[in-house]
């Protein structure tokens, strides 16, 4: 059991799990809009997620000089490997897609400085994830074809971030003024339910995924373990992809 926990912690802390979640969102877009697979784009997103997410997650720790190689060498090794992976696939991308990724990378790498605006934090993350998992794979489509998918993804990601905001409310500094700090936990959950209803009734979100996200929002509280968000909540996009894959 201890070995299993160590493997799971490695899988989560190195951001491999969140990379699979983002990769799954890309595949959902491809299935929903009938876009052919582009492994160069998809694998660039996978490795880029690991590198970018680790940069964001450990930036403050590194800045405070408490990030030690001896203690965090698995994270460092995976991040370096991911960096070379994203470089390899970046040079295989078409010029237009390269520009699209370079544009969003500016936002990603300035996020640690934007994070202090706590109320906007989840919206910045949701916009970046939507851009990467819908806009970029859909560059070949016109706006009318991808607008519904963009709106659905933005609202779904916002709902998926709500458990993180609630669980982390005691960790986040009060000065960040996150959504739960600003409007309270119950009102934050109600906002999540409202967005889910919009996704289901107007943006054709799958009923099972709507209910699963709703359940995770409902049971979110500050006493939940890190696995509640970092593993189980982040597994929802993977479940969504598997359900779509099974149907099609």
């Amino acid at each position: 059991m201890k070995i299993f926990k160590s493997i799971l912690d490695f899988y989560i802390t190195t951001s491999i799990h969140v990379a699979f979640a983002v990769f799954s969102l890309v595949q959902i877009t491809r299935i929903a809009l009938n876009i052919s697979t582009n492994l160069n784009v998809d694998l660039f997103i996978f490795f880029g997620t690991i590198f970018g997410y680790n940069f964001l997650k450990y930036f403050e720790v590194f800045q405070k000089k408490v990030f030690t190689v001896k203690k965090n060498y698995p994270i460092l090794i995976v991040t370096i490997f991911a960096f070379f992976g994203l470089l390899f696939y970046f040079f295989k991308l078409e010029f237009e897609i390269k520009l699209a990724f370079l544009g969003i990378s500016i936002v990603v790498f300035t996020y640690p400085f934007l994070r202090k605006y706590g109320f906007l934090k989840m919206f910045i993350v949701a916009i970046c994830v939507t851009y990467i998992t819908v806009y970029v794979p859909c560059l070949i489509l016109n706006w009318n074809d991808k607008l519904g998918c963009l709106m659905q993804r933005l609202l779904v990601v916002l709902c998926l971030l709500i458990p993180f905001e609630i669980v982390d409310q005691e960790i986040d500094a009060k000065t960040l003024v996150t959504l739960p700090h600003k409007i309270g936990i119950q009102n934050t959950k109600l906002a999540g339910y409202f967005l889910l209803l919009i996704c289901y009734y107007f943006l054709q979100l799958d009923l099972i995924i709507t209910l699963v996200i709703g359940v995770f929002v409902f049971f979110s509280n500050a006493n939940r373990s890190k696995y509640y968000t970092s593993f189980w909540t982040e597994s929802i996009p993977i479940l969504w992809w598997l359900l779509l894959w099974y149907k099609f």
Side-chain angles (χ1 to χ4, degrees):
M1 194 67 183
K2 189 176 181 180
I3 295 174
F4 175 77
K5 184 178 181 299
S6 298
I7 294 171
L8 182 62
D9 286 341
F10 169 82
Y11 176 65
I12 293 171
T13 56
T14 55
S15 303
I16 296 173
H17 186 55
V18 73
F20 273 118
V22 172
F23 181 87
S24 297
L25 290 174
V26 176
Q27 305 316 308
I28 291 164
T29 300
R30 295 197 182 282
I31 293 171
L33 298 178
N34 196 26
I35 304 170
S36 59
T37 299
N38 185 328
L39 275 178
N40 291 332
V41 172
D42 296 358
L43 290 175
F44 175 82
I45 290 173
F46 179 81
F47 288 117
T49 300
I50 294 175
F51 179 78
Y53 199 79
N54 282 347
F55 171 82
L56 298 177
K57 187 160 58 170
Y58 301 110
F59 176 82
E60 190 173 348
V61 178
F62 188 80
Q63 193 179 39
K64 291 179 180 178
K65 298 181 180 179
V66 294
F67 185 95
T68 60
V69 174
K70 184 178 179 180
K71 184 179 178 181
N72 300 287
Y73 72 90
I75 297 168
L76 197 59
I77 290 171
V78 171
T79 304
I80 292 171
F81 179 79
F83 175 73
F84 285 111
L86 73 87
L87 271 185
F88 176 79
Y89 286 104
F90 179 79
F91 290 111
K92 289 177 172 286
L93 300 177
E94 296 175 5
F95 180 73
E96 186 180 11
I97 296 176
K98 284 179 182 176
L99 285 180
F101 279 126
L102 286 172
I104 197 64
S105 66
I106 295 171
V107 179
V108 170
F109 289 109
T110 55
Y111 175 79
F113 307 100
L114 299 174
R115 190 179 181 275
K116 62 182 179 179
Y117 303 103
F119 182 64
L120 296 175
K121 182 180 69 170
M122 63 187 295
F123 295 97
I124 295 170
V125 173
I127 289 169
C128 288
V129 172
T130 301
Y131 182 94
I132 291 167
T133 63
V134 178
Y135 179 77
V136 173
C138 293
L139 281 176
I140 59 172
L141 303 179
N142 60 50
W143 274 102
N144 290 334
D145 292 332
K146 59 190 172 186
L147 187 57
C149 191
L150 280 164
M151 289 302 300
Q152 184 201 81
R153 186 63 47 79
L154 179 66
L155 298 185
V156 166
V157 174
L158 282 172
C159 292
L160 287 171
L161 289 171
I162 286 174
F164 287 87
E165 294 290 291
I166 293 172
V167 172
D168 292 344
Q169 67 163 337
E170 297 300 325
I171 300 172
D172 288 329
K174 299 294 183 183
T175 52
L176 286 180
V177 194
T178 60
L179 197 62
H181 288 150
K182 192 171 183 67
I183 66 174
I185 291 177
Q186 291 308 316
N187 286 334
T188 300
K189 290 182 177 183
L190 288 174
Y193 303 145
F194 177 70
L195 294 180
L196 284 172
L197 287 174
I198 292 175
C199 287
Y200 176 69
Y201 282 109
F202 299 107
L203 299 172
Q204 300 179 328
L205 181 62
D206 184 87
L207 177 59
I208 294 175
I209 296 302
T210 303
L211 293 174
V212 169
I213 298 174
V215 167
F216 271 81
V217 171
F218 180 81
F219 285 105
S220 299
N221 61 61
N223 297 318
R224 292 290 178 189
S225 74
K226 63 179 181 179
Y227 300 109
Y228 185 81
T229 49
S230 297
F231 181 76
W232 293 111
T233 304
E234 287 181 354
S235 295
I236 294 175
I238 301 172
L239 172 64
W240 188 4
W241 176 32
L242 292 175
L243 287 173
L244 278 177
W245 181 78
Y246 178 76
K247 286 180 181 178
F248 287 88

